[in-house]
Amino acid sequence: MSVEPYGADEESAAVLRTVGRVIKMCRERAGLTQAALGAQIGYSEEQVSSVERGRRAPMEEFLDAADRVLEANSLISALKGDVEKARFPKKVRDLAKLEAEAVEICAYDNSVVNGLLQTEEYLRAVFGSRRPAFSEEEVDQLVAARLARQRVVEGTPPCTAFSFVHDEAALRRRVGGKMVLRRQLERLLDVGQRRNVEIQVLPLDREDNAGLGGPFHLLRLREGSTVAHNEVQRTSRLISERREIQILELRYGVIRAQALPPRESLAFIEKILGET
């Protein structure tokens, strides 16, 4: 997925500008310069300036510290929820909203482990391998966005059913190195024990594979409709056209039938872990 900088869409930009104005107002009321505020909360003058201009999404620690030093009576701290949403590109916010509304999420992946199941070190390795390279700030932004989306899998009590099918190649690719992959496989084994999660593996020795066209998600929403998400080579799009959805639903059904059953798949993952 291509990266949008903070404030790339007007909705995010408006939120960040408002947050910046509130912080600036409180700082000036307290009679502090940007450098003085930064020194007291552990940030540089440039970082404070970027936040006040709406060019940087402040971390929760920044907001809490500024609220305390400026004696803002929770006015600044109360902005954390708004900043959390504005921190991510609009396409990520839209996808996360749909995932939170889904009663079932189905996914096929043939290159890397599905994003909703990736460990932090694995997904950092995924984003770190991109060329041209992301900046450290962009990697941090993408990591935070991906981890935020994973909350839907961690939901308690579980209210969403998940079906993940991975091509064997995705589970053998040493993204980040041997130990990163081992810990990723261990996470799959752990998540695969949950009653609302089914993980399947499509072995490389299968002669038929209906997923050669690439990865995709199906999200079945509470009101009964289904949308799809497709992400390939700098393109990330949501699909709602019924004819396309029918094709992907048919394709996913065939992929699941071609893959190993869930219990055999977990045993297969244990075998790969032992060989890694």
Side-chain angles (χ1 to χ4, degrees):
M1 173 171 48
S2 58
V3 177
E4 300 169 357
Y6 297 130
D9 62 89
E10 185 52 37
E11 184 180 340
S12 287
V15 170
L16 296 183
R17 286 195 298 267
T18 299
V19 170
R21 284 195 295 268
V22 171
I23 294 173
K24 181 179 180 180
M25 176 189 69
C26 293
R27 176 181 60 76
E28 292 179 340
R29 184 182 62 184
L32 296 179
T33 64
Q34 292 177 340
L37 174 60
Q40 292 193 47
I41 65 176
Y43 289 85
S44 69
E45 179 181 0
E46 187 279 329
Q47 288 174 310
V48 174
S49 175
S50 292
V51 169
E52 289 190 353
R53 287 182 293 161
R55 295 173 59 91
R56 177 189 292 267
M59 302 297 289
E60 289 188 4
E61 295 82 2
F62 182 107
L63 296 171
D64 286 336
D67 192 276
R68 182 182 67 256
V69 169
L70 300 176
E71 299 181 352
N73 297 318
S74 299
L75 177 64
I76 296 175
S77 292
L79 298 171
K80 287 188 287 189
D82 296 316
V83 173
E84 173 79 6
K85 295 177 182 177
R87 185 183 305 280
F88 311 133
K90 186 176 187 301
K91 64 181 69 175
V92 175
R93 298 198 306 271
D94 291 344
L95 180 58
K97 181 179 179 180
L98 287 172
E99 288 172 336
E101 296 174 354
V103 295
E104 183 180 18
I105 296 177
C106 303
Y108 170 69
D109 290 271
N110 61 355
S111 181
V112 295
V113 171
N114 185 272
L116 294 177
L117 301 176
Q118 292 172 356
T119 64
E120 181 173 345
E121 59 184 350
Y122 184 97
L123 66 91
R124 281 189 178 276
V126 170
F127 293 135
S129 66
R130 189 258 207 183
R131 295 296 182 274
F134 290 131
S135 68
E136 288 301 316
E137 185 176 10
E138 288 172 331
V139 170
D140 288 343
Q141 178 191 9
L142 285 167
V143 167
R146 182 66 55 81
L147 292 177
R149 280 179 52 208
Q150 290 183 0
R151 293 172 190 162
V152 69
V153 182
E154 306 293 340
T156 304
C159 55
T160 304
F162 296 91
S163 169
F164 299 99
V165 180
H166 289 92
D167 192 283
E168 180 185 344
L171 304 181
R172 291 191 179 276
R173 183 165 290 110
R174 293 194 175 186
V175 175
K178 176 179 177 180
M179 295 310 299
V180 171
L181 178 59
R182 284 186 60 85
R183 285 187 284 270
Q184 178 61 69
L185 295 175
E186 289 169 352
R187 171 164 170 75
L188 292 181
L189 292 172
D190 178 60
V191 176
Q193 300 297 325
R194 301 179 186 178
R195 289 182 297 172
N196 64 316
V197 177
E198 288 191 345
I199 295 178
Q200 294 179 256
V201 179
L202 183 53
L204 286 171
D205 63 6
R206 290 288 197 265
E207 294 184 3
D208 294 319
N209 182 340
L212 295 177
F216 61 93
H217 288 188
L218 292 170
L219 298 92
R220 297 191 171 100
L221 307 181
R222 289 192 180 94
E223 84 279 3
S225 64
T226 298
V227 296
H229 176 242
N230 186 29
E231 185 175 324
V232 292
Q233 292 294 338
R234 295 178 55 80
T235 300
S236 176
R237 69 183 185 121
L238 291 170
I239 303 168
S240 58
E241 203 281 315
R242 187 57 197 163
R243 181 172 299 179
E244 289 194 60
I245 295 294
Q246 287 177 335
I247 293 172
L248 292 175
E249 286 180 323
L250 170 63
R251 190 169 298 170
Y252 191 75
V254 175
I255 289 172
R256 290 194 68 180
Q258 293 170 336
L260 296 172
R263 183 172 298 181
E264 292 180 30
S265 293
L266 293 182
F268 196 90
I269 294 173
E270 288 183 338
K271 176 176 177 290
I272 296 175
L273 177 60
E275 297 170 353
T276 301

